[in-house]
Amino acid sequence: MIVVMRLGHRPDRDQRVTTHVALTARALGADEVWVSTKDPSLERSVKGVVERFGGDFTIKTGVEWRKAIRSWDGTVVHLTMYGESLSEALPTIADDRLMVVVGAEKVPREVYELAHRNVSVGNQPHSEVAALAIFLDRLKGGKAVERDMKGRMRIVPNPRGKTVVDGREGKAREGAKR
């Protein structure tokens, strides 16, 4: 069980980035994403992707992050630029009961203290989406992106265009060639 806890979501400002956090979590092997701010629009958007593209993934918004972190019965890993090196930490992190915390705005000091591990995904400024993607990809050994999510819609690799198979229609739709 892997849960991604997104802190500090501001619906008027962070809608796109938080959606990307959720979609990255889903695509790279997390089971759920919890968001500290209530946002029904975000929930509908992510649930729509899950309905179309499959997977067993859940989103919850309005989650009290302090309570969630304190009550988590597994390992809490906070992704940051200031923690221990990802390469050194990763071999000692199990993915059986894992909460991965990513911030939006400035992360409160309390998160660093509550987390079991503060893990640095590089030591340069970058996005929480990038940090989450790198962390989950390495945690899952690069295999999560290749699993079949058994969705109604499926994107088929195509070196010169876009091919989407819609199981409801029973046929492939070709997009623009590039």
Side-chain angles (χ1 to χ4, degrees):
M1 168 66 124
I2 300 175
V3 169
V4 174
M5 178 78 228
R6 168 74 160 160
L7 302 179
H9 170 67
R10 299 158 292 186
D12 56 324
R13 186 172 167 186
D14 298 328
Q15 186 73 36
R16 188 170 174 89
V17 175
T18 300
T19 300
H20 289 181
V21 166
L23 296 179
T24 298
R26 177 191 161 275
L28 293 173
D31 301 289
E32 298 184 13
V33 67
W34 298 351
V35 181
S36 61
T37 305
K38 186 71 176 164
D39 189 341
S41 173
L42 175 64
E43 289 182 31
R44 279 190 302 277
S45 179
V46 173
K47 286 176 182 177
V49 170
V50 174
E51 287 171 11
R52 290 188 310 278
F53 289 92
D56 186 18
F57 186 79
T58 305
I59 181 168
K60 297 177 189 173
T61 67
V63 175
E64 295 179 39
W65 66 266
R66 282 180 185 87
K67 187 176 180 181
I69 293 172
R70 284 186 181 124
S71 65
W72 185 252
D73 65 348
T75 304
V76 177
V77 173
H78 170 223
L79 300 182
T80 175
M81 293 181 296
Y82 306 106
E84 61 186 307
S85 151
L86 174 63
S87 297
E88 292 177 16
L90 202 55
T92 65
I93 297 173
D95 68 355
D96 56 340
R97 292 286 304 158
L98 182 62
M99 177 184 282
V100 182
V101 179
V102 294
E105 53 195 347
K106 185 175 171 155
V107 173
R109 180 77 196 146
E110 186 178 2
V111 174
Y112 290 84
E113 295 163 5
L114 289 172
H116 299 113
R117 309 288 290 274
N118 291 290
V119 175
S120 171
V121 180
N123 60 357
Q124 295 294 314
H126 55 72
S127 82
E128 59 273 30
V129 179
L132 181 62
I134 291 167
F135 178 81
L136 289 175
D137 186 64
R138 290 197 186 169
L139 182 72
K140 295 291 189 175
K143 301 294 183 195
V145 293
E146 297 178 18
R147 53 196 173 114
D148 182 1
M149 302 285 252
K150 302 188 184 333
R152 184 187 89 223
M153 297 182 79
R154 199 169 41 84
I155 299 170
V156 179
N158 181 336
R160 297 279 184 233
K162 299 176 183 178
T163 305
V164 180
V165 176
D166 188 335
R168 185 176 55 194
E169 298 172 7
K171 61 184 176 187
R173 290 184 296 182
E174 295 286 330
K177 303 286 184 207
R178 294 188 182 222

